[in-house]
Amino acid sequence: MSESTDLRPRPLLPSGAPASSRALLAVAAGGLALVALCDVFSLFAGFRLRAVIDGDGGFVTAPQQELDAAASLYETAGRFQVMVYLPAAIVFVVWFFRMRRNTGLLTPDRFRNGPGWAIGAWLIPLVNLWMPYRVAFDMWGAATQLPAEGETHRTRAWPLNLWWALFVFSVLFNRYAGQKYQNAETLTEIKDAVGQYMAADVVHIAAAAAAIHFAVRLTAMQRRKAIEGLYRPAVVKATSA
């Protein structure tokens, strides 16, 4: 038995379907990585603040000078997170919109909403907890090559589902931790609130990593479909003479 590539002609993609830019993907992934790095810095500052509050003997007492320094470092880490998150989010949304445009050229009838929702979905409160996922799901399906003859069609979207579940959970958890931190008055309450914030940072790091993986996979899928065509290359078995 030998294997040969199926050379049957495949249907052409609609004209003007470009492969997505790897450069824009690299910038978006770099922004997400920087966001995760700021979260790691916040974790370090949180550990230090909690250690100062605990003190050497495990009591909720701390020298005022050390406490002020640790609290200042933690607030600085929080400012870095805000400063980095906004431009990183803008770049990611630009990538998201470009990907929606490019995948829309591949399979125009695959989408339930217009390309403007790739931006608008992020800006509407509450709607931004589910609408971007709907757009991303349509993009994932549009970027997936159709099965070759004799193969089953299965769209495995676990990278998308994992990213969105972590993203939504991190947003809600961060809001909860922020409210708890703002209402904290005693050192014990501050310590507990910082612990909640640290847990939210861990989830946020995981969400950033999942977002990078999703973006890389989707870009690779879109480029492969734009270059190879609507159908996956099929490998057929032929009996050798």
Side-chain angles (χ1 to χ4, degrees):
M1 302 289 291
S2 63
E3 293 186 351
S4 61
T5 303
D6 185 2
L7 299 179
R8 289 173 298 175
R10 306 170 192 156
L12 298 176
L13 288 169
S15 60
S20 294
S21 170
R22 287 175 175 167
L24 183 57
L25 170 65
V27 175
L32 291 170
L34 192 56
V35 167
L37 186 61
C38 288
D39 291 335
V40 171
F41 177 41
S42 179
L43 283 173
F44 166 76
F47 275 119
R48 182 180 176 187
L49 179 56
R50 284 171 60 88
V52 171
I53 293 176
D54 278 338
D56 294 334
F59 298 99
V60 188
T61 59
Q64 189 63 42
Q65 186 175 2
E66 293 184 17
L67 182 61
D68 290 343
S72 177
L73 180 66
Y74 191 67
E75 294 294 336
T76 299
R79 286 194 295 271
F80 279 151
Q81 286 177 301
V82 174
M83 291 170 56
V84 170
Y85 184 81
L86 181 58
I90 292 175
V91 173
F92 183 83
V93 172
V94 170
W95 168 85
F96 196 80
F97 172 74
R98 292 286 297 274
M99 181 59 65
R100 166 61 181 87
R101 187 188 65 180
N102 290 343
T103 52
L105 293 173
L106 291 176
T107 316
D109 59 350
R110 182 65 175 78
F111 292 88
R112 293 166 286 184
N113 303 99
W117 280 101
I119 296 177
W122 297 96
L123 305 177
I124 305 175
L126 297 181
V127 173
N128 55 16
L129 294 178
W130 63 273
M131 192 63 183
Y133 171 81
R134 180 172 174 172
V135 176
F137 186 83
D138 289 346
M139 289 195 296
W140 191 272
T144 301
Q145 287 180 298
L146 297 175
E149 185 177 355
E151 296 180 346
T152 58
H153 179 61
R154 294 185 62 187
T155 303
R156 298 180 178 179
W158 69 262
L160 165 62
N161 295 332
L162 177 63
W163 160 56
W164 194 251
L166 288 171
F167 171 73
V168 172
F169 183 63
S170 69
V171 169
L172 298 179
F173 196 4
N174 189 73
R175 291 177 182 175
Y176 166 76
Q179 191 66 34
K180 192 169 183 180
Y181 186 78
Q182 290 179 357
N183 295 334
E185 296 180 354
T186 67
L187 288 179
T188 301
E189 292 175 342
I190 293 175
K191 176 186 171 183
D192 293 341
V194 170
Q196 296 291 334
Y197 249 142
M198 291 171 64
D201 286 336
V202 171
V203 178
H204 202 236
I205 292 172
I212 293 173
H213 180 65
F214 157 73
V216 170
R217 285 284 302 274
L218 182 58
T219 300
M221 290 164 56
Q222 192 279 337
R223 289 179 60 85
R224 186 179 304 114
K225 189 171 183 178
I227 294 171
E228 296 180 356
L230 290 173
Y231 291 85
R232 291 197 298 264
V235 176
V236 298
K237 295 182 178 181
T239 304
S240 59

